[in-house]
Each structure stands twice: as C-alpha cells, then as structure tokens.
Amino acid sequence: QVQLVESGGGLVQPGGSLRLSCAASGSGFSIYTMGWYRQAPGKQRELVATITSSGSTNYADFVKGRFTISRDNAKNAVYLQMNSLKPEDTAVYYCNAARRLFGKDLNTWGQGTQVTVSS
C-alpha cells in the first residue's frame, strides 16, 4: 500500500498558476491510478483529474484546458499543474491512489492541501 502527502497549495490571484505535488511512499505506486480531488466548504468532494499507470488521463469539465495531471513513477510522484485559476477553484485538494482487486475499489488518500484563489 502507499501513503500520500500533498504539497504546493497556497494563496494565488485569479488567473494565476500553482503546481501541486503528491509524494508517495510504500510499495506499488506504479500500478495505481492516481487522482486529484477537491472539496470546497459546504460541498462534496469532487473529481478533478486522474491518470492511469500507463499515462491515460481524464479531467472534470470545469478544469479542461486549465489543469494538467502528470506522474513520475521513478520519483513516486503525481502532479497537478493549475493555470488560469478562478475563485471557484478554492478548495482543499486531495491526492488519491486507487486500484481494483476482484471488483473492489481500494483507495488511499492524502491529508489535503489548501488552495485559495482570491484578489
């Protein structure tokens, strides 16, 4: 199993950029689908982006063209490059590692990192 630690959050102005990092420890990183989720105050956690072990990506509609997810298996890390940030992007961002075993989804979560977009 892996353990995840996010970093890179902070305060940025609308239109600015930020890169989030997720460092994994433990075993099996390269076989996990990795993802970024976010949760704003009073809202449910929502998918931002995912990337499979082979590099296939998918994005929520609200970040397409603005955010890019990537991974470096040699470094056991996944990243989220966020450009053209909007106030509505303000949330706690969580790293996720997921795998399916005999039809069961197994998930590991990081502790989250705060992203605040404000003037």
Side-chain angles (χ1 to χ4, degrees):
Q1 186 60 283
V2 296
Q3 296 77 48
L4 308 173
V5 179
E6 303 95 333
S7 62
L11 174 64
V12 296
Q13 295 189 89
S17 297
L18 208 58
R19 190 177 86 146
L20 305 183
S21 297
C22 175
S25 61
S27 62
F29 177 82
S30 64
I31 68 171
Y32 282 81
T33 292
M34 302 298 298
W36 287 97
Y37 292 71
R38 70 187 189 186
Q39 187 167 23
K43 298 181 66 178
Q44 300 215 329
R45 190 173 298 183
E46 63 184 352
L47 172 73
V48 176
T50 61
I51 183 167
T52 69
S53 59
S54 62
S56 296
T57 60
N58 79 291
Y59 297 90
D61 287 341
F62 55 81
V63 302
K64 285 182 179 177
R66 300 191 297 125
F67 292 8
T68 302
I69 188 171
S70 61
R71 68 191 295 163
D72 187 337
N73 289 339
K75 296 181 178 179
N76 286 358
V78 62
Y79 309 97
L80 185 68
Q81 178 66 47
M82 304 185 293
N83 300 323
S84 302
L85 284 161
K86 306 174 181 179
E88 51 262 46
D89 294 319
T90 296
V92 177
Y93 283 71
Y94 296 92
C95 185
N96 171 263
R99 62 191 288 258
R100 173 156 277 165
L101 184 63
F102 297 106
K104 182 178 179 180
D105 292 325
L106 305 177
N107 287 278
T108 301
W109 297 90
Q111 83 291 342
T113 185
Q114 177 71 47
V115 171
T116 302
V117 185
S118 176
S119 297

